[in-house]
C-alpha cells in the first residue's frame, strides 16, 4: 500500500525537487531530512521509503507535511523509487539525495545553481576531482574507473565520476528520458540518455565520505555488470513520442 503526504500543491512552482530514496536508514534519515529542510532555496522534498523494515517509515512520517512521503510495501529498487518520486516532482530542477550521509546535503546547492542560472541542464557532483578517496574499497575504485572509460568509449564523453549519487537535471529533461531503471542502473541510464539528448554534463567537485557494508551501504561492486550493460543497451536509445508533460509511467 502506498501513502503520500502532500507538502506542496502541484501548481506551486518551486526551484528544486529533492528525491530521497530510503531503505532501512533509521540511523541517518532524520538528519538528512532536517538538513535538506534547512537549505535556503524553494524546494519540494520527496522521500520514497522503499519497503524498509526498521523505523525508517515512522521517522519519515514524523516530519508531517514538511515533506512528501511515498511508501512501498516491498523493495522495488533505487531506480524505481526515483521514478515514483519523479511522477509528482514539480521543481524546475530535480536532484537525487541518498538517505545516508556519504554526501553533504548542503552541497546540493552547488549542483542546482548552474541549472537555475541557465548554464547547463545536467550537473553531477564529482567525488574524484582530486583523485579516488583513500578509504574507498578497491573493488569500488576499479569499477568507478572502468565506468568512466566505458562512457568515453561508447559516448565519446569525458567524465570523472559517472556513478555519483549527486546528479541534478532540469526536470523536463529527466522526464524526456522515459526512465526504465529499477535498481542502481539509474546512474548509467541517466548518463547515457543525457548524452544522447545532446546535453553537456557539468561536473562540480563535492565532498564524499564512503561508508562500509557494515554501516549500511547498499550498492556493491557486484552491481557493476548491470551498470555496464545499461550503458551498452542504451547506446542507441531514442526518445519515443510522449505527452508534453513527460512520460513517467512505471513499468
Amino acid at each position: 500500500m502506498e501513502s503520500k503526504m502532500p507538502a506542496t500543491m502541484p501548481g506551486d512552482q518551486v526551484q528544486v525537487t529533492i528525491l530521497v530514496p530510503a531503505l532501512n536508514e533509521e540511523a541517518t534519515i532524520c538528519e538528512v531530512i532536517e538538513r535538506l529542510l534547512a537549505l535556503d532555496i524553494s524546494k519540494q522534498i520527496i522521500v520514497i521509503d522503499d519497503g524498509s523494515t526498521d523505523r525508517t517509515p515512522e521517522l519519515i512520517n514524523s516530519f508531517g507535511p514538511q515533506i512528501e512521503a511515498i511508501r512501498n510495501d516491498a523493495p522495488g529498487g533505487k531506480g524505481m523509487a526515483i521514478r515514483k518520486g519523479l511522477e509528482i516532482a514539480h521543481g524546475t530542477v530535480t536532484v537525487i539525495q541518498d538517505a545516508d550521509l556519504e554526501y553533504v546535503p548542503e552541497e546540493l546547492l552547488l549542483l542546482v545553481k548552474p541549472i537555475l542560472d541557465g548554464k547547463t541542464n545536467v550537473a553531477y557532483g564529482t567525488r574524484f576531482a582530486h583523485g579516488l578517496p583513500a578509504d574507498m574499497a578497491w573493488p569500488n575504485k576499479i569499477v568507478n574507473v572502468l565506468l568512466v572509460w566505458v562512457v568515453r568509449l561508447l559516448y565519446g564523453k569525458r567524465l570523472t565520476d559517472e556513478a555519483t549519487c549527486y546528479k541534478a537535471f532540469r526536470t523536463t529533461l529527466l522526464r524526456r528520458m522515459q526512465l526504465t531503471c529499477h535498481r542502481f542502473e539509474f546512474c548509467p541510464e541517466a548518463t547515457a540518455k543525457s548524452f544522447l539528448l545532446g546535453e553537456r554534463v557539468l561536473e562540480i567537485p563535492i565532498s564524499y565520505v564512503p561508508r562500509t557494508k557494515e554501516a549500511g551501504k547498499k550498492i556493491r561492486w557486484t552491481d557493476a555488470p548491470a551498470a555496464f550493460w545499461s550503458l551498452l543497451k542504451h547506446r542507441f536509445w531514442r526518445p519515443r513520442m510522449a505527452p508534453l508533460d513527460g512520460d513517467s509511467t512505471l513499468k
Side-chain angles (χ1 to χ4, degrees):
M1 183 175 181
E2 180 180 306
S3 61
K4 298 178 183 178
M5 299 184 300
T8 53
M9 296 301 292
D12 296 341
Q13 183 58 51
V14 297
Q15 291 176 297
V16 58
T17 292
I18 307 170
L19 301 182
V20 188
L23 173 61
N24 294 332
E25 299 288 3
E26 64 180 6
T28 54
I29 188 65
C30 284
E31 182 177 349
V32 168
I33 294 174
E34 287 166 356
R35 290 169 69 174
L36 293 176
L37 286 169
L39 294 179
D40 186 19
I41 196 168
S42 172
K43 57 194 171 291
Q44 174 195 25
I45 301 172
I46 304 173
V47 184
I48 308 97
D49 172 49
D50 194 30
S52 295
T53 55
D54 62 1
R55 294 180 61 239
T56 298
E58 172 189 344
L59 296 172
I60 293 171
N61 289 337
S62 71
F63 287 90
Q66 297 181 93
I67 64 171
E68 298 181 45
I70 299 174
R71 162 74 178 169
N72 295 331
D73 283 340
K78 181 176 180 178
M80 179 65 80
I82 290 170
R83 291 165 60 198
K84 280 194 170 185
L86 184 60
E87 286 195 329
I88 58 172
H90 57 265
T92 301
V93 178
T94 293
V95 64
I96 315 303
Q97 166 72 54
D98 277 351
D100 57 41
L101 290 169
E102 286 189 318
Y103 298 78
V104 179
E106 292 75 16
E107 292 184 348
L108 283 181
L109 300 180
L110 300 176
L111 278 67
V112 170
K113 188 177 188 302
I115 301 178
L116 292 174
D117 289 347
K119 296 178 179 178
T120 187
N121 289 320
V122 185
Y124 284 12
T126 175
R127 300 165 291 172
F128 309 138
H130 306 293
L132 299 173
D135 46 358
M136 176 181 278
W138 269 105
N140 297 76
K141 290 180 179 180
I142 293 169
V143 168
N144 275 283
V145 170
L146 290 176
L147 282 170
V148 297
W149 283 356
V150 171
V151 167
R152 186 176 179 186
L153 176 66
L154 292 177
Y155 298 90
K157 304 293 184 180
R158 290 179 179 268
L159 286 178
T160 63
D161 191 357
E162 187 281 328
T164 178
C165 162
Y166 269 9
K167 290 177 164 67
F169 308 86
R170 190 168 296 278
T171 302
T172 52
L173 173 68
L174 192 56
R175 288 202 168 106
R176 282 189 66 202
M177 294 181 187
Q178 301 156 348
L179 298 170
T180 60
C181 51
H182 285 78
R183 300 186 72 253
F184 295 109
E185 327 91 82
F186 166 75
C187 286
E189 181 176 358
T191 297
K193 292 181 176 180
S194 291
F195 290 137
L196 291 172
L197 288 169
E199 299 296 334
R200 176 179 68 95
V201 176
L202 176 65
E203 289 194 292
I204 299 169
I206 58 167
S207 307
Y208 178 66
V209 181
R211 68 171 176 169
T212 63
K213 176 181 177 181
E214 292 71 27
K217 190 172 183 66
K218 307 296 188 303
I219 195 168
R220 305 281 186 270
W221 69 268
T222 50
D223 289 298
F228 292 122
W229 170 240
S230 185
L231 286 171
L232 179 60
K233 78 174 183 178
H234 291 300
R235 177 61 185 86
F236 300 102
W237 170 85
R238 294 295 182 270
R240 64 182 184 277
M241 295 299 295
L244 293 178
D245 61 351
D247 179 357
S248 56
T249 303
L250 299 180
K251 298 180 177 67

